[in-house]
Amino acid sequence: MIGSGLKKFAQQHGMKIARGVAYGSFYGYAATFCEGSGWKRIVVSTRFPDPAKRDALRTALAQQNLTTQYRVKSLEIFDDGIVILFLDNPGTMKKIEAFCQWFFPQLAAYEATGTDICSECGAPILDDGCWKLLNEIARHMHRSCAQNLKEQLDADEDQQKREETGSYITGLIGALIGAMLGAVVWGLVLHMGYMASIVGFLIGFLAEKGYTLLNGRQGRGKVFILAGVTIFGVLLGNIGYDAVVWATEIAKYAPNAAVTLNGAEVPVSYGDIPMLIGYFFANDSEYQSAMIMNCLMGIGFALLGVLGILSKAKKETTAPKFIDLE
């Protein structure tokens, strides 16, 4: 995704917009711009033929207070590129522009390869270059290198599928066990009068651990299973909380505990708790509304808490996307 500010900045420098990113030659280097909630990112596809130059750049950057000066949250230098992440607050675009004016002219001194060098083989690109998008990062390379890379990615995906073991069924069982353990904690937190996303995270964390321990299959279905059992854990926790409330009330009036059902007073025991929950949910609008509200709020908090876990699981189970840009 790319917003209007970053898009305008990219277009001013002759970059193109496609597939939710801006890409092209920026200060003579192959760059990709994109952004998300609270962040903006610039990725430079480049290499350092001399590792000593790369290390020297790291040392030089470490001596700068990039966060204070330019709102740089992180800057990482890899063998095949540089990833710069900015905190996105009002006025960040001016900081990004100032950073780029300062940073990119320095890359030549450290012998970073430019747009005219293939990001795959490191040889000059003459008239057979193309732009490809790999995992939201634009790369400029020879067409032959792009074809070889695509074939390698396809072969790796096929190999992974052949080697993949595990089962969605055993994974589901493990995830359910983990979610039920988390549901116990959820019920206890509700009993104390609280509701927090951290408990939702715990449900998702335990579900993912259970899925892994019981050798769940690392496929796309994993994400749906974890999302489903997280919701199940919240619902179970809410029902468990209500069961504890009923059990407390029955204990308080035992052995003469009774409730009014259909106008008649009926004796109840602990074994009647599931029936009582079902009856009052179906017949008492106030009880029904309270339970639905608790469940909806709980699911919202839980999904918020496990968003990172689900995102990580999706990345782990999704093959790299190799897309033609031009």
Side-chain angles (χ1 to χ4, degrees):
M1 183 182 75
I2 184 168
S4 58
L6 202 55
K7 183 184 295 185
K8 181 180 178 181
F9 178 57
Q11 291 173 332
Q12 289 173 345
H13 287 268
M15 300 174 73
K16 298 180 180 180
I17 312 297
R19 300 283 185 167
V21 304
Y23 73 95
S25 182
F26 181 71
Y27 283 89
Y29 297 91
T32 311
F33 297 172
C34 67
E35 62 186 284
S37 178
W39 57 268
K40 295 182 188 294
R41 187 180 71 185
I42 295 177
V43 179
V44 187
S45 294
T46 186
R47 293 180 180 274
F48 295 86
D50 183 356
K53 294 288 186 180
R54 179 194 60 208
D55 295 339
L57 177 59
R58 285 198 182 108
T59 301
L61 292 173
Q63 297 172 356
Q64 303 291 325
N65 191 340
L66 300 179
T67 301
T68 301
Q69 289 180 283
Y70 304 111
R71 295 184 186 171
V72 173
K73 182 178 181 181
S74 64
L75 191 155
E76 298 179 276
I77 301 176
F78 301 97
D79 290 340
D80 59 351
I82 303 170
V83 180
I84 310 144
L85 196 66
F86 297 88
L87 293 170
D88 192 9
N89 295 315
T92 291
M93 280 309 308
K94 291 183 178 180
K95 296 288 187 179
I96 292 176
E97 292 177 26
F99 172 83
C100 292
Q101 291 171 2
W102 167 79
F103 176 71
F104 278 88
Q106 298 187 61
L107 290 180
Y110 295 95
E111 300 179 4
T113 57
T115 311
D116 59 341
I117 300 298
C118 177
S119 65
E120 186 65 15
C121 72
I125 299 174
L126 301 176
D127 57 355
D128 60 341
C130 62
W131 285 90
K132 302 292 182 180
L133 193 68
L134 179 59
N135 291 333
E136 298 185 334
I137 298 175
R139 300 177 62 178
H140 193 213
M141 60 181 72
H142 297 113
R143 294 187 182 279
S144 58
C145 290
Q147 181 60 33
N148 291 337
L149 179 58
K150 185 178 186 305
E151 291 175 358
Q152 182 60 52
L153 291 172
D154 290 341
D156 290 345
E157 184 179 2
D158 290 341
Q159 181 68 20
Q160 182 178 354
K161 288 180 179 179
R162 286 194 296 270
E163 294 177 351
E164 193 172 79
T165 59
S167 163
Y168 283 134
I169 295 177
T170 59
L172 174 60
I173 294 172
L176 284 172
I177 293 172
M180 285 189 287
L181 293 174
V184 173
V185 179
W186 185 270
L188 291 174
V189 171
L190 277 180
H191 189 66
M192 292 186 291
Y194 298 100
M195 188 178 292
S197 60
I198 187 65
V199 186
F201 174 85
L202 178 64
I203 294 175
F205 175 80
L206 292 174
E208 199 278 335
K209 284 299 179 184
Y211 188 95
T212 302
L213 289 174
L214 267 67
N215 197 28
R217 183 178 178 182
Q218 299 300 313
R220 293 182 180 180
K222 176 181 178 180
V223 177
F224 297 101
I225 289 174
L226 292 181
V229 298
T230 297
I231 294 173
F232 168 77
V234 172
L235 297 178
L236 184 63
N238 277 279
I239 293 173
Y241 163 71
D242 277 12
V244 170
V245 172
W246 277 109
T248 302
E249 289 299 308
I250 291 173
K252 186 186 300 183
Y253 297 101
N256 301 313
V259 296
T260 302
L261 302 177
N262 298 322
E265 192 171 87
V266 178
V268 292
S269 64
Y270 297 116
D272 297 316
I273 290 176
M275 178 273 296
L276 291 170
I277 293 175
Y279 176 86
F280 280 94
F281 182 78
N283 296 280
D284 189 318
S285 59
E286 185 176 346
Y287 181 87
Q288 183 184 78
S289 297
M291 177 172 275
I292 290 175
M293 182 60 67
N294 280 341
C295 288
L296 290 177
M297 289 181 64
I299 289 171
F301 273 119
L303 292 180
L304 178 65
V306 301
L307 191 61
I309 292 175
L310 294 178
S311 177
K312 181 175 180 289
K314 183 178 180 181
K315 289 179 180 179
E316 290 175 345
T317 56
T318 302
K321 293 182 180 180
F322 194 66
I323 299 171
D324 294 330
L325 287 174
E326 57 184 61

